[in-house]
Amino acid sequence: MVSTQPAGVQLSGRQYLSPTSTNKVNLSPNQGLLPLSAKINHQDHLEIGGCDVTTLVQKFGSPLYILDEETLRTACRQYRESFQRYYQGEAQVLYASKAWSCLAVCAIAQSEGLGIDVASGGELYTALCAGVSSDKIYLHGNNKSREELRYAIESGITIMADNWRDLQQSVELAQGQQPVRIMLRLTPGIDCHTHEYIRTGHLDNKFGFDPGDLDEVFAFVSKQQTLNCIGVHAHIGSQIFERQPHQDLAVLMVQWLTKAATYGLNLTHLNVGGGLGVRYIESDDPPSIEEWVKPICEVIQAACKEENLPLPKLLCEPGRSLIANACVTAYTIGSSKEIPDIRTYVAVDGGMSDNPRPITYQSVYRAVVANQMSTPCTETVTIAGKHCESGDVLIKNAQLPKTKPGDILVVMATGAYNYSMASNYNRLSRPAAVVVANGEANLILQRETYEDLIRQDCLPERLKS
Ligand code: LLP
């Protein structure tokens, strides 16, 4: 197990709190394990957004996603302000809602001035229902259905054309309407170090036009009266700690703009995608939001100067780094199983259905016990979920204080790709989620009921007993 703790020093939940120094507002949310507002109260309980986590569980049940509004808003602002500081042209940050798509999260992002990147008709519907204006919504997808494209066109949003089929269908669907606003997603051929399932910049992947098609695509698009192509897009992957790949990408993308100009295309938008990594465990060391934004702006400015191009409107679309560390998942501890000389399993009331990342990507997490935050961690246990599957393990070798049934285990940094990839495996209900701020907790997702679980089931007449 990776640990930055010196030998002989025992951790407690306290160590995961952000420093309470005066520069707290400058902390980059993606670098903290617990949300910015996390504190320990006089009962030695974890408090987030002024709410005692154990009280939240009593009121809303568990598992419970707890979203700290302050952390999410701070991350949105840090992105926005970094572009204001370092980019001389116009910029627009989009929230990649695939990280967590629901009305409240879209509404918070939009109230912070962010636009929304959606990856399906469902995410588009959610963003529109949350009140996001259509000129700030961008639709992605490597296999958009005709219905999704029609919905996007009717809603007046921008389509990220990923392939020839997107272009052809957009042309067909646009007939007789306003020109359809599109951006071109291109594969940059840039590699980065992250899990192979979440790398997208290398040539061998399903997203975007192959660079070999660039000339043909620009030539085609430049001749279409019904398409209004405004720019280019690329996304190289997710949970990236290096900064160089995005800088290389920025240089390359400016070259694409220059090339497009030779086809008479005046592309004014450049979207560098998302991908900034976050801290899940102590040894993770991602750059801050500002450290990620600054070099990208500098590189684009220098490259545009060199190519004698006006500065494009610069877009990026982070998901994880906006929301991962703004959320924790609270579980109630239940049974345990001690296997002498092997390991002790401690089971919680959720698992791979509310957090499929460990079983999917071997992702690692840290946990604290919310009702005993200062107790030293003397035990090494494996946190198991409650699903009928041996691989349903949330954390291997977690360092925790001694726990008992009924204790509240809090897994940190669960805001990104947890709820959004949650399932009903074993017909478990998907958890509730609350947003917390200033001592108030508001439900943003209701816990599914048993009735919800069979809502879509149909029982044909002839099968009824
Ligand atoms: N833009 C595009 C086109 C994307 O495909 C993605 C993520 C993003 C932006 C946002 O990337 P982020 O800033 O969140 O790294 N389920 C995986 C992550 C899949 C990422 C998919 N695309 C996980 O749990 O790690």
Side-chain angles (χ1 to χ4, degrees):
M1 191 190 77
V2 193
S3 168
T4 52
Q5 206 60 25
V9 177
Q10 267 169 357
L11 274 174
S12 76
R14 274 185 185 277
Q15 269 87 13
Y16 294 115
L17 292 177
S18 304
T20 46
S21 61
T22 46
N23 72 350
K24 188 169 151 178
V25 282
N26 294 328
L27 283 176
S28 190
N30 67 317
Q31 296 179 320
L33 278 165
L34 276 167
L36 295 178
S37 72
K39 286 194 186 98
I40 298 174
N41 68 16
H42 59 281
Q43 285 177 285
D44 197 32
H45 288 182
L46 177 62
E47 190 179 289
I48 300 177
C51 300
D52 184 319
V53 167
T54 58
T55 312
L56 290 177
V57 169
Q58 279 160 16
K59 183 159 177 206
F60 297 99
S62 70
L64 181 66
Y65 297 115
I66 302 170
L67 175 66
D68 180 40
E69 191 170 333
E70 180 191 337
T71 307
L72 175 56
R73 287 190 183 277
T74 303
C76 293
R77 275 179 215 149
Q78 287 188 4
Y79 266 105
R80 226 187 39 220
E81 288 168 8
S82 300
F83 281 106
Q84 267 162 15
R85 191 164 310 137
Y86 299 110
Y87 195 61
Q88 278 134 35
E90 223 188 313
Q92 176 68 59
V93 180
L94 313 176
Y95 165 57
S97 66
K98 57 186 70 89
W100 184 346
S101 172
C102 70
L103 294 177
V105 170
C106 288
I108 293 173
Q110 102 114 7
S111 74
E112 290 296 338
L114 272 60
I116 306 278
D117 143 11
V118 296
S120 68
E123 287 185 3
L124 170 56
Y125 180 72
T126 307
L128 287 171
C129 290
V132 181
S133 72
S134 54
D135 59 341
K136 283 191 173 170
I137 305 181
Y138 295 75
L139 174 69
H140 274 290
N142 69 309
N143 188 22
K144 301 174 192 78
S145 69
R146 206 174 172 83
E147 289 65 40
E148 284 173 321
L149 285 170
R150 184 176 290 122
Y151 182 26
I153 291 168
E154 282 169 8
S155 308
I157 67 158
T158 307
I159 293 170
M160 309 304 250
D162 194 274
N163 50 51
W164 285 108
R165 190 158 189 269
D166 274 355
L167 288 180
Q168 277 142 10
Q169 296 209 87
S170 299
V171 169
E172 283 162 30
L173 290 164
Q175 299 299 341
Q177 300 201 14
Q178 291 270 27
V180 175
R181 205 164 52 245
I182 63 161
M183 290 181 70
L184 298 168
R185 178 169 182 169
L186 304 166
T187 312
I190 290 176
D191 223 341
C192 56
H193 294 106
T194 190
H195 194 284
E196 63 163 312
Y197 292 1
I198 54 177
R199 267 191 290 150
T200 50
H202 56 304
L203 292 178
D204 179 6
N205 89 87
K206 67 176 182 170
F207 298 104
F209 287 99
D210 186 81
D213 284 353
L214 209 58
D215 285 281
E216 217 182 322
V217 173
F218 284 155
F220 175 84
V221 168
S222 67
K223 291 193 205 101
Q224 303 307 313
Q225 307 293 318
T226 52
L227 298 184
N228 173 19
C229 181
I230 60 169
V232 282
H233 167 279
H235 170 74
I236 56 176
S238 197
Q239 184 62 354
I240 301 169
F241 288 0
E242 309 150 278
R243 281 182 291 171
Q244 195 59 44
H246 279 97
Q247 294 167 41
D248 297 345
L249 175 69
V251 173
L252 182 65
M253 293 185 82
V254 172
Q255 289 166 9
W256 292 343
L257 295 184
T258 309
K259 191 188 247 298
T262 66
Y263 286 89
L265 282 170
N266 176 26
L267 302 189
T268 52
H269 289 53
L270 191 157
N271 183 334
V272 294
L276 170 61
V278 307
R279 174 165 279 147
Y280 286 108
I281 59 174
E282 303 87 316
S283 57
D284 286 341
D285 190 18
S288 67
I289 290 172
E290 185 175 352
E291 285 166 342
W292 187 81
V293 170
K294 184 172 182 242
I296 294 175
C297 296
E298 288 171 349
V299 163
I300 290 178
Q301 279 158 179
C304 285
K305 198 163 170 202
E306 179 125 359
E307 302 269 341
N308 215 1
L309 280 180
L311 286 182
K313 178 165 176 174
L314 180 53
L315 293 92
C316 71
E317 48 193 26
R320 191 190 311 267
S321 52
L322 283 170
I323 203 161
N325 310 77
C327 179
V328 301
T329 308
Y331 302 91
T332 303
I333 289 179
S335 62
S336 59
K337 174 177 178 180
E338 199 179 325
I339 311 167
D341 303 325
I342 299 185
R343 71 172 70 243
T344 298
Y345 286 98
V346 170
V348 293
D349 52 356
M352 60 185 282
S353 56
D354 61 77
N355 184 359
R357 299 194 70 257
I359 200 164
T360 312
Y361 313 110
Q362 302 74 51
S363 306
V364 279
Y365 283 89
R366 290 286 183 262
V368 295
V369 180
N371 52 311
Q372 36 172 332
M373 287 296 287
S374 306
T375 314
C377 298
T378 49
E379 315 285 305
T380 302
V381 297
T382 287
I383 308 293
K386 63 175 284 166
H387 292 274
C388 299
E389 182 142 339
S390 298
D392 176 30
V393 162
L394 289 176
I395 308 179
K396 279 188 187 143
N397 302 324
Q399 303 288 306
L400 292 179
K402 197 164 178 47
T403 58
K404 56 186 181 315
D407 281 345
I408 305 301
L409 185 93
V410 162
V411 176
M412 297 178 276
T414 56
Y417 306 108
N418 276 227
Y419 168 73
S420 62
M421 300 206 307
S423 75
N424 292 119
Y425 183 39
N426 296 140
R427 287 237 142 160
L428 257 66
S429 307
R430 275 177 299 179
V434 288
V435 62
V436 290
N438 306 316
E440 209 181 300
N442 303 105
L443 205 54
I444 59 171
L445 289 166
Q446 282 180 7
R447 185 177 306 284
E448 285 173 338
T449 61
Y450 287 157
E451 280 157 3
D452 291 330
L453 292 174
I454 60 162
R455 197 174 303 285
Q456 308 304 122
D457 290 15
C458 303
L459 190 57
E461 226 18 77
R462 66 184 177 78
L463 296 181
K464 287 185 181 156
S465 53

